[in-house]
Amino acid sequence: MPAIFALAWVTVRSGDAVIPVAMAGEGSRYVDGLALSLGEGGATGYGPTGNAIRYGCSFVTNDYHADVVMAPWHERAKAYGFKSSAAFPSVEGGRPAKWPIRLAAWSDC
């Protein structure tokens, strides 16, 4: 079954904070009040968005709720019915830029 994307969003990095700046889709309220950080001390900096920013590579999780990296967001994602997620870095001048694109899907990818 193909994925049905419930949410697409773009973030911008501001210091250690990761701030959602644009979102679209029926699941866009998921982003409301979401706290993301690139700080070394917290798990919320090592999810798809943080890793896309930090390492400049795509990050895909096909089973949101079985992936321990996604643990900080399991309950929130469950409330919205998300089953998979992906983050793709943007690149500027051959280097990772500060605004990765994030997708979340209802159906399995």
Side-chain angles (χ1 to χ4, degrees):
M1 173 189 289
I4 299 170
F5 292 103
L7 170 63
W9 50 301
V10 178
T11 61
V12 64
R13 178 181 182 175
S14 178
D16 279 348
V18 179
I19 304 163
V21 293
M23 67 266 335
E26 291 182 43
S28 62
R29 294 199 60 204
Y30 171 87
V31 179
D32 293 346
L34 189 64
L36 299 171
S37 171
L38 292 174
E40 297 295 323
T44 60
Y46 290 93
T49 305
N51 285 333
I53 293 171
R54 185 177 282 108
Y55 303 116
C57 59
S58 299
F59 185 98
V60 177
T61 183
N62 290 314
D63 188 343
Y64 207 114
H65 305 287
D67 190 338
V68 296
V69 170
M70 304 303 289
W73 306 281
H74 280 174
E75 291 304 313
R76 186 182 203 107
K78 188 175 183 179
Y80 285 87
F82 296 159
K83 295 183 178 180
S84 56
S85 178
F88 305 96
S90 58
V91 178
E92 184 176 9
R95 298 184 56 173
K98 60 181 182 178
W99 50 84
I101 297 169
R102 177 80 184 276
L103 302 170
W106 282 317
S107 60
D108 298 325
C109 292

